[in-house]
Amino acid sequence: MIRRKLLNWLSPKNLHHSVVLGVLVTLVGSGCMLGPDYLPPPVTVEDSWIYQNSKSLDSLESINPYWWQSAFADPVLDDLVAQAIENNLELRSAALRALQAQQLLSIAIGNQFPQTQQIEGLVDRSKYVRSGITGNLQSEYYLNFNLTWELDMWGQLRRLVNSGAADFESSLAEYDGLLVSIIAQVAQTYINIRTIKRRLEVARENIRIQREGLRIAEVKFNAGEVSALDAEQAQTLLSNTEATVPGLETTLQQLKNTLSILLGMPPHSLTDILSVSPTVPDVPSIIAIGMPQDLLRQRPDIRQAERLLAAQGELIGVARAELYPNFSIGGLIGAIDIRGGQLNGRSDAWDLFVDFEWNVFNYGRLRNNVRLQDATFQQLVSDYQQVVLQAQVDVENAIVAYLKSQEQQYFYNIAAMASEEAVNLSITQYIDGQIQYNTVLTTMVSNLAQQDILVVAQGAVAANLVQVYLSLGGGWQIVDGLTPLELLPEETIEDMLRRTHYWDKLLD
């Protein structure tokens, strides 16, 4: 390291020193920025979706940011989503990470300005005694102020600001991505709860039918028309069906517990909220999905990956700047006042200097660091391209699952209606003695399975629709433009203000 004081004094008589200082200060704002300058890398995006010609899809219309409202029109779901946005603890943590990134950016911006400020002062009163002779009382007052400013000759500090800005934008995209995920999880969990409730209703309805079948078999046995075998078979089927109810109730409570975590509240608080009818939500006949090119600005994970890439791109210039001299200017202004001594009186002191540091003996390490930052950048290019590719696959998978689940539901609905009619016919024929009870059992087992499959298929259609919106990245726009502090609930801000008042300016 070479450190050399180039200029340590300045006076009106030495005008050329003032000129030198003016030139150096000018260089602060006009210094070059070592590259490379960041440009987003090219990515491959398809022109259309594979199934975009489906009558259920509208690729010309962009998705509604409040898609859950337009898709399901369910006030209970709307309220659950609002509570999750307000109280979800993971979302709150992401907002605080964005707030931290914002403060790091502010620190990077501040580093462009005078960085070292110090005020030193001294007040001293003394009296000396020597060989029995007492000296005069002496008072000394001393005050110094110094300042150092690093000149951004090669753009290192500006690159760090750009990198900090990209990191901050990346943290906001991370919040947006989590918000989209939380909204989708709330919607899917709510759909699953209503689906399980409907499955319970189907199970209990089949239990009622099977109890009636058992009663008929017992009546016929008591009348001597059939053996005890029919009643025993009927009881076996009924007990097995009754055993499915506790399992479904367990799943229902577990889903409620999962929802409570998403809402940031204890499980017992959901009792009144989820007193909903046991029906599976319907889906609209046509849904808007936009075009594949919309993903680049719509998916938060794509924006996050691109911003991380941009932040890393700036660090290459930072690493290159370390290969060149680092200049700084500084100065000191002070005053000394001595009373009562031989140096009685007041004097002023000042100093102006320009320093530079040059790591000339570390070029191997510094060059390796440039290579390291560039290799990291190239890795993030691949990561970014992978995210874009995966996003398109996610949407295609969600679309095909949604469309094909609708087709399945159509056929399952026909099968369920047929199985229900088969049960009614078999019971009537059994009463008339036209068939054996084995046939009745077969139709009842089939009916329970078909009715349950139909409900599961209905729930899958609604859940797959949520997955479509999740893969498209919709929903984050509802908080677009809000600052990290505005994303936090009032009680969190109040906690922070109680610890320190320095948040006041950001809240103004």
Side-chain angles (χ1 to χ4, degrees), residues 138-381:
Q138 178 175 303
S139 300
E140 180 179 349
Y141 304 92
Y142 169 74
L143 181 64
N144 256 0
F145 174 80
N146 63 64
L147 177 69
T148 303
W149 193 353
E150 180 180 347
L151 305 181
D152 193 17
M153 300 290 292
W154 318 114
Q156 183 179 36
L157 298 179
R158 282 168 285 171
R159 292 286 185 195
L160 287 172
V161 169
N162 293 343
S163 181
D167 277 330
F168 174 49
E169 292 166 351
S170 172
S171 68
L172 291 176
E174 179 191 9
Y175 177 90
D176 293 343
L178 185 59
L179 175 62
V180 170
S181 176
I182 294 298
I183 293 173
Q185 289 180 61
V186 169
Q188 288 180 328
T189 304
Y190 177 69
I191 290 169
N192 290 337
I193 287 173
R194 290 184 57 172
T195 301
I196 291 294
K197 281 193 168 187
R198 177 58 185 151
R199 291 179 66 189
L200 278 167
E201 189 178 64
V202 166
R204 288 169 179 144
E205 176 62 19
N206 276 270
I207 288 172
R208 185 194 64 78
I209 295 172
Q210 291 169 17
R211 280 177 179 166
E212 178 64 14
L214 173 60
R215 186 192 68 79
I216 294 172
E218 289 176 338
V219 168
K220 292 178 73 70
F221 168 70
N222 293 331
E225 298 179 13
V226 297
S227 69
L229 178 62
D230 289 3
E232 294 300 329
Q233 289 178 317
Q235 183 62 62
T236 300
L237 175 61
L238 174 61
S239 297
N240 282 331
T241 303
E242 290 174 330
T244 64
V245 172
L248 291 172
E249 291 175 336
T250 298
T251 302
L252 177 61
Q253 185 57 53
Q254 290 172 342
L255 286 170
K256 291 180 179 180
N257 295 342
T258 299
L259 186 58
S260 72
I261 294 176
L262 294 170
L263 301 184
M265 60 176 59
H268 67 269
S269 303
L270 294 177
T271 303
D272 296 332
I273 298 176
L274 292 179
S275 56
V276 294
S277 61
T279 56
V280 180
D282 293 325
V283 299
S285 58
I286 301 176
I287 62 171
I289 61 172
M291 297 297 290
Q293 296 85 348
D294 297 335
L295 291 179
L296 295 180
R297 58 177 177 80
Q298 196 163 270
R299 285 261 304 214
D301 57 339
I302 292 179
R303 288 189 288 111
Q304 181 183 4
E306 191 276 330
R307 289 292 82 198
L308 287 174
L309 181 61
Q312 179 60 35
E314 299 294 335
L315 295 182
I316 300 174
V318 173
R320 288 191 61 195
E322 293 179 352
L323 293 167
Y324 297 86
N326 182 31
F327 293 88
S328 61
I329 61 175
L332 178 147
I333 300 175
I336 302 175
D337 192 0
I338 302 176
R339 300 295 178 184
Q342 295 180 353
L343 299 177
N344 188 35
R346 176 174 175 173
S347 62
D348 297 326
W350 53 266
D351 184 24
L352 177 67
F353 62 85
V354 178
D355 284 359
F356 77 91
E357 298 178 2
W358 197 350
N359 298 317
V360 294
F361 299 115
N362 291 314
Y363 261 39
R365 176 181 63 82
L366 298 178
R367 287 195 181 100
N368 286 333
N369 186 43
V370 174
R371 298 187 188 104
L372 170 63
Q373 302 306 325
D374 187 61
T376 304
F377 176 84
Q378 195 60 45
Q379 175 207 328
L380 292 176
V381 169

Side-chain angles (χ1 to χ4, degrees), residues 125-128 134-139 339-341:
R125 302 193 70 183
S126 60
K127 178 184 291 187
Y128 298 95
T134 301
N136 295 330
L137 179 65
Q138 178 175 303
S139 300
R339 300 295 178 184

